[in-house]
Structures are given as structure tokens and as C-alpha cells.
Amino acid sequence: TTIPIGIKKRSEVSLTIFNSIGQKIVTLENKVFDPGYHNIIWNSKDNNFTNVSTGNYIVIMKAVPIDGSSPYISKKIIKIIN
């Protein structure tokens, strides 16, 4: 599954997947990104490398700009069919 993200400023970015009841499934990224559009690949596995069930998952991206300006949060819902 490809998750597109857009970064406005060079930022420390964390991208985390949660299930529909709010349990953390996996953190895909936790690093600095340059501005622009990026595609993050999720192999539909959890932190234990087990395939997740079919269903809706919540993607939360938190970006904290390196320049100290205000952080921003983005939420998306993706559907996984296994």
C-alpha cells in the first residue's frame, strides 16, 4: 500500500498506523524529510511482521518543522484488503 504525504517545510516526520479502535499497529517513518511529496510504502504488516486483517486503518502523520515553526498533523483512513 502506498501512502502519499506532502511536507511543506524540512521537518521531523513520524508516520504511524492505527487500527479502527485506536491501537497502534506500526510506525512506518520517524525521520527528517525535505519539502515536497513523498510516497511511503506499507507492506500491511504490524510491528511483529504479521499481516494485518482486512479493514480500515488510520494513518497519522506528525511533522515538526526544523525551523521551529508550528507542527502540523494529518490524518487519513486507508482500506486494506488481504
Side-chain angles (χ1 to χ4, degrees):
T1 302
T2 301
I3 303 166
I5 62 171
I7 307 298
K8 297 175 185 175
K9 298 178 178 181
R10 184 172 168 81
S11 300
E12 174 103 19
V13 174
S14 65
L15 190 75
T16 306
I17 309 287
F18 295 86
N19 64 16
S20 60
I21 60 172
Q23 296 169 317
K24 181 178 168 182
I25 301 299
V26 66
T27 297
L28 298 178
E29 295 290 352
N30 196 12
K31 66 180 189 178
V32 175
F33 279 85
D34 287 326
Y37 293 97
H38 306 272
N39 288 316
I40 309 301
I41 305 298
W42 180 31
N43 60 5
S44 301
K45 295 183 186 292
D46 64 16
N47 277 330
N48 299 315
F49 304 103
T50 303
N51 285 331
V52 298
S53 302
T54 295
N56 292 322
Y57 290 85
I58 302 160
V59 180
I60 298 183
M61 178 191 76
K62 181 177 180 184
V64 180
I66 300 298
D67 68 7
S69 56
S70 296
Y72 52 97
I73 296 175
S74 170
K75 297 177 185 178
K76 298 179 183 183
I77 295 177
I78 57 173
K79 184 168 186 92
I80 300 297
I81 300 174
N82 283 334

